[in-house]
Amino acid sequence: MLQLRGFSGTRDKVKLVEFHPVQPWIAFADFSNNVRVWDWTTQQTLQDLQLGGADDEGSMEAAINTVSAKDPAFISNPSALSYAPSRTASGKVRQVSFLDSEVAYWQTATQHAMVNGNCTNTPSAVNVHALDGTRLLVVVCENKVLLHDSNTRKPYEVPRSALDGKAPTCACFLFRGGKHTPGGRPDADNLMASPVLAIGCSDGVVRLLHLATLRVIGKLVGNHKASINCLLTLPSKAHFTKQESQQQQAAGAQKARASSHVQQQQDRASVPTPPPSPPEFVPS
């Protein structure tokens, strides 16, 4: 029986919704550019990010924490000591996404099933070490890309200036890499230790951002000159064709070894066994 459950996380209209593939979390953004993460099992708000303008509240808290340097009796907030507030207005929120090891597994498993079906071995995402112990909420804004760590409450920013001054519009994640990616190999059979964030921009160019360094490592430039509104990662047919060929070769080698073993047993069985010799009489 279909059951519906609703919650009121905001009084404004909701424009974006994102579901976590494993955890009972829902991330949404309203028209006031507030981003919240809601746990639908506990009915509690896990994160509340008020975006759109500059981080005035964070700047005020950082200024208050500097009082401890002059007044030893003042106790600072330990969680805010390493926080660097941004003075850059984020602008309109355009996309919200979860990024952690569980998201990496489900994306690679879904792409694998799209090509090979559900009856094949699913690839593991344990090699994506950059996501160990990290749960990121990726928010694409008009003037920057915000990566907020849910565990440490520490934000990371990719400003518009790092994207050649172009406005980010959307993003997706790349977990497989070849020889052109940092630490990649000539073949694309392995998962990268750090995923690549593909950011679509207003000039029609997709910029590839290395998550470990937050630096642009490449660009995808085509004939598309208009603003990119959506990105989707698809499985590589060449990769899975090569993987399938390797699996067929391994299965053929195993079948040949099994056939050779059976043939050896048949050859042993076909050799006639000489009759036992009679006992020899030895006089006492």
Side-chain angles (χ1 to χ4, degrees), residues 188-212:
D189 294 341
N190 62 315
L191 293 175
M192 294 181 289
S194 178
V196 171
L197 182 63
I199 303 175
C201 298
S202 58
D203 59 346
V205 177
V206 179
R207 289 167 173 82
L208 304 179
L209 187 80
H210 193 221
L211 191 64

Side-chain angles (χ1 to χ4, degrees), residues 43-118:
Q43 299 291 296
Q44 294 181 353
T45 300
L46 302 180
Q47 294 186 56
D48 188 356
L49 306 177
Q50 298 180 1
L51 303 177
D55 193 359
D56 296 328
E57 183 179 354
S59 300
M60 184 179 299
E61 185 175 0
I64 294 175
N65 284 329
T66 59
V67 178
S68 60
K70 301 179 181 179
D71 186 2
F74 181 81
I75 301 177
S76 302
N77 183 4
S79 63
L81 292 177
S82 59
Y83 176 63
S86 173
R87 299 298 301 173
T88 303
S90 59
K92 296 180 180 179
V93 176
R94 294 179 170 175
Q95 180 181 331
V96 290
S97 303
F98 292 103
L99 178 58
D100 51 34
S101 57
E102 294 170 338
V103 173
Y105 169 78
W106 279 106
Q107 179 173 316
T108 52
T110 302
Q111 294 175 353
H112 180 83
M114 289 173 62
V115 176
N116 297 314
N118 297 325

Side-chain angles (χ1 to χ4, degrees), residues 64-243:
I64 294 175
N65 284 329
T66 59
V67 178
S68 60
K70 301 179 181 179
D71 186 2
F74 181 81
I75 301 177
S76 302
N77 183 4
S79 63
L81 292 177
S82 59
Y83 176 63
S86 173
R87 299 298 301 173
T88 303
S90 59
K92 296 180 180 179
V93 176
R94 294 179 170 175
Q95 180 181 331
V96 290
S97 303
F98 292 103
L99 178 58
D100 51 34
S101 57
E102 294 170 338
V103 173
Y105 169 78
W106 279 106
Q107 179 173 316
T108 52
T110 302
Q111 294 175 353
H112 180 83
M114 289 173 62
V115 176
N116 297 314
N118 297 325
C119 299
T120 56
N121 295 328
T122 303
S124 176
V126 295
N127 294 330
V128 190
H129 299 296
L131 299 178
D132 293 344
T134 302
R135 293 192 181 275
L136 295 176
L137 180 65
V138 181
V139 184
V140 180
C141 302
E142 192 176 14
N143 295 322
K144 61 184 175 182
V145 179
L146 176 66
L147 299 92
H148 193 274
D149 194 338
S150 303
N151 292 335
T152 62
R153 303 292 177 178
K154 186 176 182 180
Y156 303 91
E157 291 185 1
V158 181
R160 188 169 176 171
S161 58
L163 304 174
D164 300 329
K166 306 301 179 181
T169 55
C170 54
C172 66
F173 312 121
L174 304 176
F175 298 106
R176 292 189 180 276
K179 60 182 180 180
H180 298 294
T181 57
R185 301 176 183 177
D187 56 350
D189 294 341
N190 62 315
L191 293 175
M192 294 181 289
S194 178
V196 171
L197 182 63
I199 303 175
C201 298
S202 58
D203 59 346
V205 177
V206 179
R207 289 167 173 82
L208 304 179
L209 187 80
H210 193 221
L211 191 64
T213 60
L214 295 182
R215 293 183 178 179
V216 176
I217 59 174
K219 301 177 183 178
L220 301 179
V221 182
N223 296 325
H224 184 77
K225 301 301 181 182
S227 177
I228 299 176
N229 296 324
C230 183
L231 288 174
L232 176 65
T233 56
L234 297 175
S236 173
K237 184 64 178 178
H239 160 69
F240 289 113
T241 302
K242 180 180 179 180
Q243 189 181 41

